[in-house]
Amino acid sequence: MTAMVKAEGVHKSFGAAHILKGIDLEVAPREVFCLIGPSGSGKSTFLRCINHLEQINAGRLYVDGELVGYRQRGEKLYELKDSEVAVKRRDIGMVFQRFNLFPHMTAIENVMEAPIQVRGEAKAVARARADRLLDRVGLSDKAGNYPAQLSGGQQQRVAIARALAMEPKLMLFDEPTSALDPELVGDVLDVMRDLAADGMTMIVVTHEMGFAREVGDALVFMDDGVVVEAGHPRDVLANPRHERTQSFLSKVL
């Protein structure tokens, strides 16, 4: 079976700062893959590399068997044009910490926008799907509301619906609950649980250890740009083998 995501020796630097230092990992189809670690460990950067929001400096990244951002001929890599990258990015949904909704559009307009603009979909088709997706995330009664009229948790659920509107085969979540008030976290995690139950392949950068333990199929602890420890979430969280993992988990569990 082809891995949904495969990283081979992935490096990423910003100037003199070496952020990713040779990441090797695989994410299977339908897997919920959790990334944990301290701030600055490279988790979010790695996520952004998967959909080529950041270019890697060395190594190989594959999504569903295809190189991300490049075409290989012989031993040489050739960078894809922006338009080619954009086509491949349609298959990858991304949900950010800060929602990133269009403030001048209602919830349903936010969800409809990409299929209409990117795929040239008819408005009626896009609206019907947006209605279904807002219902799925429990916000059908907020379809006509603007982001400023929604709580943070509601905005994040609209952002998830918007990402799902392109019918992606992979969903990336970059600390989707970290900007939320504690009482709003549960609603967002419930939506993510439902997605997992439906078999969506998900990579989740998170500090929600309960979610990782309960829903995750695999967990990686990253620190200083490397994978320190990997395994089943329950095993890693209950019995971390590496001293650095033990130290981190003692502060967050």
Side-chain angles (χ1 to χ4, degrees):
M1 185 190 294
T2 303
M4 182 58 76
V5 176
K6 186 175 185 181
E8 298 177 344
V10 169
H11 288 256
K12 174 64 185 175
S13 297
F14 295 102
H18 197 175
I19 306 299
L20 300 177
K21 303 171 182 175
I23 301 294
D24 293 294
L25 56 79
E26 281 193 26
V27 181
R30 303 175 69 85
E31 193 167 54
V32 178
F33 192 97
C34 297
L35 283 172
I36 66 170
S39 295
S41 58
K43 309 180 302 294
S44 295
T45 297
F46 178 67
L47 218 58
R48 292 171 66 83
C49 290
I50 292 171
N51 65 358
H52 208 58
L53 289 174
E54 301 289 354
Q55 294 179 326
I56 64 176
N57 300 116
R60 299 277 194 280
L61 250 179
Y62 300 87
V63 171
D64 204 15
E66 294 191 9
L67 268 174
V68 173
Y70 298 91
R71 181 183 294 110
Q72 185 162 348
R73 292 198 195 112
E75 290 300 303
K76 281 195 137 183
L77 289 183
Y78 297 88
E79 196 168 337
L80 297 179
K81 297 178 187 147
D82 288 348
S83 57
E84 295 173 296
V85 170
V87 168
K88 291 183 183 288
R89 201 178 278 143
R90 295 178 192 179
D91 291 331
I92 304 173
M94 187 154 184
V95 178
F96 300 87
Q97 291 180 38
R98 290 281 171 187
F99 330 135
N100 291 6
L101 297 177
F102 300 117
H104 62 290
M105 292 184 181
T106 62
I108 197 163
E109 288 169 345
N110 264 281
V111 179
M112 292 168 60
E113 181 71 0
I116 291 170
Q117 296 299 331
V118 178
R119 288 209 299 233
E121 202 163 84
K123 271 193 175 175
V125 175
R127 177 173 283 274
R129 185 192 299 104
D131 277 332
R132 288 196 304 275
L133 288 170
L134 287 176
D135 185 51
R136 180 174 186 176
V137 300
L139 291 173
S140 50
D141 60 330
K142 304 290 185 185
N145 288 42
Y146 289 91
Q149 299 169 311
L150 301 172
S151 72
Q154 289 168 337
Q155 288 186 61
Q156 192 61 294
R157 283 185 281 154
V158 173
I160 294 172
R162 182 176 66 175
L164 292 172
M166 290 295 284
E167 300 179 326
K169 55 190 172 188
L170 170 66
M171 285 283 283
L172 309 176
F173 292 88
D174 188 7
E175 297 189 28
T177 59
S178 66
L180 302 180
D181 293 333
E183 69 267 23
L184 303 176
V185 167
D187 291 338
V188 174
L189 293 181
D190 284 344
V191 172
M192 293 169 66
R193 282 189 191 92
D194 288 344
L195 281 179
D198 283 349
M200 174 63 77
T201 310
M202 298 159 59
I203 304 180
V204 185
V205 172
T206 186
H207 293 297
E208 301 292 338
M209 300 303 157
F211 174 85
R213 184 188 296 110
E214 175 197 343
V215 183
D217 300 301
L219 182 142
V220 156
F221 171 67
M222 282 178 66
D223 187 34
D224 196 27
V226 299
V227 172
V228 176
E229 191 162 340
H232 191 279
R234 288 194 181 95
D235 297 337
V236 175
L237 294 173
N239 298 298
R241 296 189 305 275
H242 197 282
E243 189 180 319
R244 183 66 189 92
T245 319
Q246 293 166 8
S247 169
F248 174 77
L249 291 175
S250 72
K251 296 182 177 77
V252 298
L253 286 178

